[in-house]
Amino acid sequence: MATMSLAAASPLTSTPRAVGASAPRTAFLGLRSGAAQATRFLGLTVSSQPVERRAAAAVAMAKREQELEEIRAMTTEQLEEEVVDLKGELFLLRLKRSARQEFKNSEFGRMRKRIARMLTVKREREIEQGINKRLSRKLDRKWKQSIVVRPPPSLRENKEE
């Protein structure tokens, strides 16, 4: 009867192998899509996104640019009022979520991004005026303390009806 010695188990396999037999090593590095290989064909680079998706992204970017133009057309006071209103709307949305009422989940991101855009434009104007970051933070604290609490526009419209 032939004697067989066992080789140390490789980290990839846990079954014992004979010394003479080579352990099969897998070269599995994850799934690859055909689009990734098609982009390297003859050194050409082709976008892996479908044409419809790129067109939708272009439309979304155009809407963002239009929204930014509208925001830049506002005065600083109008921006501050709009930020307060949007933060109130965001608060109402959080209340709806906690009360398990019906709401659109995408509204959270949309409102937060709109608020961020407005605050960015506000800060750009401060930079143009030569206001440094420290003074800007100080002015923001004063502005936040001066805010008069009032219901957001959607709640006001519901009370009027």
Side-chain angles (χ1 to χ4, degrees):
M1 185 171 186
T3 61
M4 294 177 57
S5 64
L6 298 176
S10 72
L12 295 176
T13 60
S14 61
T15 57
R17 301 274 179 206
V19 173
S22 63
R25 298 194 66 99
T26 60
F28 179 74
L29 300 174
L31 298 175
R32 295 178 187 237
S33 67
Q37 293 173 357
T39 59
R40 289 182 295 225
F41 180 70
L42 295 176
L44 299 175
T45 56
V46 180
S47 177
S48 60
Q49 288 184 340
V51 175
E52 301 87 25
R53 189 168 180 184
R54 280 184 280 165
V59 169
M61 183 162 300
K63 285 182 181 178
R64 260 194 309 271
E65 292 295 326
Q66 183 181 8
E67 184 182 7
L68 262 175
E69 288 175 10
E70 292 172 6
I71 291 172
R72 289 184 201 281
M74 293 179 177
T75 65
T76 306
E77 291 79 25
Q78 288 174 332
L79 278 176
E80 290 173 350
E81 292 294 318
E82 186 74 19
V83 166
V84 170
D85 289 342
L86 282 173
K87 285 191 175 190
E89 293 287 340
L90 200 57
F91 178 72
L92 285 180
L93 208 55
R94 275 192 235 112
L95 283 177
K96 282 184 177 182
R97 180 174 62 185
S98 66
R100 298 181 188 258
Q101 293 177 358
E102 192 171 320
F103 67 96
K104 289 185 179 178
N105 205 18
S106 62
E107 291 293 309
F108 282 105
R110 190 185 64 78
M111 283 186 196
R112 280 196 307 260
K113 285 181 181 182
R114 184 157 171 86
I115 290 170
R117 285 187 190 111
M118 290 183 172
L119 292 176
T120 301
V121 169
K122 181 181 169 192
R123 179 64 185 136
E124 286 173 354
R125 291 179 183 170
E126 289 174 350
I127 290 171
E128 287 174 1
Q129 295 172 358
I131 298 174
N132 63 6
K133 189 187 269 188
R134 185 174 183 178
L135 182 58
S136 174
R137 300 288 194 268
K138 194 174 187 179
L139 292 173
D140 280 346
R141 279 194 298 274
K142 284 184 181 178
W143 171 66
K144 287 178 182 176
Q145 290 172 352
S146 70
I147 294 174
V148 178
V149 179
R150 63 177 189 275
S154 65
L155 200 58
R156 280 184 248 148
E157 291 168 3
N158 288 343
K159 284 186 177 181
E160 290 172 2
E161 293 174 357

